[in-house]
Amino acid sequence: MRHAFGVGAAALCAAVVLVGCTDGPSKTGEAAGAGPTSPSPSSTPTAANPRVVAPAAGPEEQFNALALGSRFFFDGQGTASAAAAMKRYCELLGEKELNGLPPAQWLAEKELTKPDGPRVLGDGVSRFCPERGATLKAASEGSYERWFVAGTYEVGSGPKQMPAGSYVAAGALRDCYWERTSKSGEVLDNQFATSAQETRVTVRAGDGQFTSRGCGAWKPES
């Protein structure tokens, strides 16, 4: 019986010669016939495996790197990442108004004027809220309705001026005051309301300035 077993073993070895055969354990400790194994992507680089592919950065990491390398800052960001702040901005752009202004005007006057604002916000909108692209486009092009909150505005057609026209302020108005003045500062017309639901004013092309406080936002009257 021992002789027959030996012949069978020899024949089996001949049949599998292409994949290797050994009477004992491999000197390398590998299973018989096993070829070299490929390193996993997370393996530590060695002389035999110098190139290890690092996992690709996700959109959050890419945006964080972009914002970190810019001069732009997010208001109220605190310790949150730039990506988290941008996602919050995406939510804000879906509101009807921000700080008394329509979202496109808020973007144009408060955010796109910051250093690197157009580049960072453009990248953020395309990554995290492409549905807000129309708002960003309107802000970039200046094609939005302008509202005027508390302050003094020169009357004119410039980017920081108040165009002539009719305006309305509505809501729970308390101690609302407005005045129209000439270019020399003479009061042409004014009004003070301790309590009102709405008030109107017509700013004329020949006026010099328009001043308002406590009236909320003045919106063009359609």
Side-chain angles (χ1 to χ4, degrees):
M1 289 295 287
R2 280 200 340 226
H3 180 67
F5 180 80
V7 172
L12 178 61
C13 187
V16 296
V17 67
L18 292 178
V19 296
C21 180
T22 179
D23 292 333
S26 169
K27 293 181 180 180
T28 61
E30 296 178 351
T37 58
S38 298
S40 64
S42 59
S43 299
T44 302
T46 64
N49 179 31
R51 294 190 301 169
V52 176
V53 179
E60 288 82 6
E61 290 78 7
Q62 293 174 357
F63 184 77
N64 287 339
L66 172 69
L68 185 63
S70 75
R71 295 171 295 166
F72 183 82
F73 63 92
F74 288 92
D75 292 339
Q77 179 178 342
T79 58
S81 68
M86 183 66 228
K87 290 178 181 179
R88 174 57 180 156
Y89 269 38
C90 286
E91 295 176 358
L92 293 175
L93 293 179
E95 301 290 337
K96 291 184 177 180
E97 63 179 69
L98 298 172
N99 296 333
L101 302 175
Q105 184 179 356
W106 177 79
L107 264 182
E109 297 182 0
K110 306 296 184 182
E111 302 300 313
L112 294 181
T113 54
K114 295 178 181 178
D116 295 326
R119 180 167 64 94
V120 174
L121 291 173
D123 185 273
V125 167
S126 65
R127 285 182 190 275
F128 304 118
C129 52
E131 69 276 10
R132 308 297 183 211
T135 301
L136 178 62
K137 184 174 184 293
S140 301
E141 297 177 349
S143 54
Y144 52 84
E145 182 179 83
R146 293 179 64 202
W147 301 351
F148 298 88
V149 293
T152 297
Y153 302 90
E154 290 185 4
V155 177
S157 57
K160 295 184 178 181
Q161 296 179 325
M162 186 175 189
S166 296
Y167 296 86
V168 59
L173 307 181
R174 297 288 184 274
D175 297 332
C176 166
Y177 175 79
W178 62 261
E179 67 179 28
R180 296 169 41 233
T181 55
S182 67
K183 290 180 173 61
S184 61
E186 177 185 359
V187 176
L188 302 174
D189 193 10
N190 64 352
Q191 183 181 22
F192 177 79
T194 56
S195 178
Q197 296 182 26
E198 66 177 29
T199 185
R200 288 174 168 78
V201 65
T202 298
V203 178
R204 306 190 183 281
D207 292 353
Q209 297 78 220
F210 177 79
T211 299
S212 170
R213 62 173 180 269
C215 302
W218 292 93
K219 304 177 184 180
E221 190 170 23
S222 55

